């Protein structure tokens, strides 16, 4: 780990409180059985959860809130977001391509990105539906993080990855020591172990490119079968860290409201005279998969799925996309 350094956990907790003077600080906390991003304050700084796989909601919601007035300034704009897993950090790449396109830069998203310090975190374990390695991602940050955090016993290990991370360390983090070879090795060994576990667990899943080929070639029967229990709630798309559709509403007094929208809502593509290409449920259901694995790869460099598995966990109809992909793979094997 280059630029690695360690800090005692108590000093780190004190630092979190100190940061509140200059930043809004967000981190993962345990709520019942779920982990969720929430605001850090003086009373809960010691309760932040580190190195557990993914909060229930994606990082996306802190850059593209479910509902926001684009002309309302919320005061303190500088933020530090701590404990972001690799699947969420990787998802920012395609959001950046969409919202920071040189010809159509979204000013609100751009301000949020520029004013945020991202402290990523390794996953020291996996959840049932995690499959990031299937799509070429690692269970530890490789992109879009300013610093990377690991907890080893009573120490917090940090690695600076960007100039923004270096500046943050130099200004706020004092009394640290350079990472020891023992701690460095412990981090490397754990990373290798988690990667092995993920690859073994998901060895029968097709990779991102192969998934796109399978989806593009499959018949209507598979969409009918897997959409039978879909209730069009849109949870899969809303909870997805890479889905980016929104609805824009103008209200009185110059209020411009953007809210998350999804192709899984009835009426998403309804146009004048009531025409709706996605009215049939199975077509709406198929649309999401085509978008993520077929159409977006044609338009963007970044992948539209990072293997977080949230869509499986959030589905009211208990639809498991990985089961769908396994069935497509098995059907192909039988045909061959």
């Amino acid at each position: 780990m280059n630029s690695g350094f360690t800090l005692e956990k108590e000093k780190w907790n004190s630092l979190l409180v100190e940061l509140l003077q200059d930043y809004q600080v967000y981190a993962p906390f345990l709520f019942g059985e779920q982990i969720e991003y929430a605001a850090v304050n003086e009373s809960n700084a010691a309760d932040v959860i580190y190195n557990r796989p993914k909060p229930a909601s994606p990082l996306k919601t802190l850059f593209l809130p479910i509902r926001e007035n684009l002309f309302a300034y919320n005061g303190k704009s500088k933020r530090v977001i701590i404990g972001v897993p690799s699947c969420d950090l990787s998802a920012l790449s395609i959001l950046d391509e969409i919202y920071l396109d040189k010809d159509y830069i979204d000013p609100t998203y751009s301000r949020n990105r520029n004013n945020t310090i991202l402290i990523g975190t390794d996953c020291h374990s996996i959840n049932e539906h995690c499959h990031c390695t299937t799509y070429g991602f690692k269970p530890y940050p490789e992109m879009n993080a300013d610093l990377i955090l690991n907890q080893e016993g009573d120490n917090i290990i940090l690695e600076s990855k960007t100039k923004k991370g270096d500046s943050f360390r130099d200004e706020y983090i004092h009394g640290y020591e350079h990472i020891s070879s023992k701690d460095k090795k412990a981090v490397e060994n754990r990373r290798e172990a988690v990667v092995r576990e993920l690859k073994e667990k998901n060895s029968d899943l097709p990779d991102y490119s192969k998934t796109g080929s399978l989806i593009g070639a499959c018949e209507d029967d598979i969409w009918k079968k897997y959409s039978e229990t879909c209730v069009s709630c849109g949870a899969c798309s809303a909870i997805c860290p890479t889905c980016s559709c929104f609805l824009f509403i103008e209200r009185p007094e110059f209020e411009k409201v953007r809210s998350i929208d999804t192709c899984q809502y009835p009426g998403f593509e309804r146009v004048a005279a009531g025409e709706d290409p996605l009215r049939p449920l199975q077509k709406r259901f198929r649309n999401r998969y085509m978008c993520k694995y077929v159409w977006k790869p044609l338009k963007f460099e970044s992948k539209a799925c990072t293997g977080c598995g949230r869509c499986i966990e959030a589905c009211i109809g208990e639809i498991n996309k990985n089961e769908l992909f396994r069935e497509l793979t098995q059907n192909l094997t039988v045909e061959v």
Side-chain angles (χ1 to χ4, degrees):
M1 294 177 68
N2 298 324
S3 305
F5 55 99
T6 65
L7 193 69
E8 293 178 2
K9 180 76 179 303
E10 289 187 6
K11 290 182 178 179
W12 172 255
N13 291 341
S14 298
L15 168 64
L16 296 185
V17 175
E18 178 186 342
L19 289 175
L20 297 175
Q21 300 176 27
D22 301 319
Y23 294 92
Q24 293 175 323
V25 182
Y26 297 90
F29 291 90
L30 190 63
F31 295 93
E33 297 181 356
Q34 285 192 327
I35 297 173
E36 189 61 274
Y37 291 112
V40 175
N41 56 50
E42 293 184 7
S43 63
N44 68 8
D47 299 326
V48 175
I49 298 294
Y50 299 102
N51 301 121
R52 291 263 300 273
K54 70 178 186 289
S57 298
L59 175 68
K60 175 183 75 174
T61 58
L62 292 173
F63 288 95
L64 297 168
I66 294 174
R67 188 184 189 90
E68 65 177 331
N69 181 1
L70 298 180
F71 282 74
Y73 178 63
N74 63 359
K76 189 186 295 183
S77 60
K78 292 171 60 179
R79 306 185 301 181
V80 177
I81 304 177
I82 300 166
V84 186
S86 172
C87 54
D88 276 355
L89 288 166
S90 300
L92 279 182
S93 293
I94 195 165
L95 296 183
D96 285 352
E97 285 194 65
I98 295 169
Y99 286 95
L100 299 181
D101 181 283
K102 61 183 178 63
D103 295 322
Y104 304 99
I105 293 178
D106 184 292
T108 304
Y109 180 88
S110 177
R111 184 187 68 193
N112 286 338
R113 284 289 274 128
N114 291 332
N115 292 338
T116 300
I117 294 171
L118 290 168
I119 302 180
T121 184
D122 287 19
C123 292
H124 288 183
S125 59
I126 68 173
N127 286 348
E128 180 182 359
H129 301 297
C130 292
H131 55 288
C132 58
T133 55
T134 302
Y135 298 150
F137 301 104
K138 296 292 194 298
Y140 51 86
E142 292 188 303
M143 60 184 77
N144 299 325
D146 297 302
L147 299 104
I148 300 174
L149 180 151
N150 279 284
Q151 182 175 352
E152 288 290 339
D154 295 327
N155 289 331
I156 295 294
I157 299 174
L158 290 160
E159 178 188 4
S160 179
K161 302 294 291 184
T162 66
K163 290 182 178 179
K164 189 187 291 187
D166 290 342
S167 298
F168 178 80
R169 176 197 60 200
D170 294 342
E171 183 173 359
Y172 289 99
I173 303 178
H174 308 290
Y176 62 82
E177 298 179 359
H178 290 293
I179 185 172
S180 67
S181 57
K182 178 182 178 181
D183 284 343
K184 179 179 179 181
K185 189 64 175 176
V187 171
E188 292 173 349
N189 289 342
R190 184 180 290 106
R191 286 179 170 179
E192 292 173 1
V194 176
V195 167
R196 282 196 304 272
E197 185 178 1
L198 281 164
K199 287 184 175 180
E200 290 172 3
K201 180 178 178 60
N202 300 299
S203 60
D204 56 347
L205 276 178
D207 64 19
Y208 188 72
S209 177
K210 185 64 175 178
T211 299
S213 299
L214 290 169
I215 288 172
C218 68
E219 303 294 332
D220 289 344
D221 289 348
I222 197 77
W223 305 116
K224 290 180 181 178
K225 175 181 177 179
Y226 279 90
S227 64
E228 284 181 351
T229 59
C230 177
V231 297
S232 299
C233 68
C236 54
S237 300
I239 206 73
C240 174
T242 65
C243 281
S244 57
C245 291
F246 62 85
L247 185 65
F248 192 68
I249 302 172
E250 294 197 27
R251 291 186 167 181
E253 299 183 5
F254 209 61
E255 186 176 356
K256 313 289 184 179
V257 177
R258 174 167 62 193
S259 60
I260 285 179
D261 200 4
T262 162
C263 61
Q264 298 307 289
Y265 291 157
F268 176 79
E269 281 199 0
R270 187 167 56 235
V271 294
E275 292 298 321
D276 187 351
L278 294 183
R279 179 180 287 114
L281 174 59
Q282 70 188 60
K283 288 190 175 182
R284 282 205 307 276
F285 185 81
R286 174 180 179 271
N287 186 82
R288 177 171 175 269
Y289 291 92
M290 292 293 291
C291 179
K292 299 186 79 62
Y293 295 97
V294 180
W295 298 327
K296 280 186 175 174
L298 295 174
K299 186 173 183 179
F300 301 104
E301 294 183 6
S302 304
K303 295 173 182 175
C305 180
T306 60
C308 71
R310 287 188 179 97
C311 57
I312 301 172
E313 296 160 359
C315 183
I316 296 174
E318 298 183 349
I319 300 167
N320 187 326
K321 74 177 183 69
N322 288 346
E323 291 179 359
L324 188 159
F325 298 157
R326 288 186 175 101
E327 181 171 338
L328 291 178
T329 303
Q330 290 172 355
N331 290 345
L332 178 66
T333 303
V334 171
E335 290 175 4
V336 173

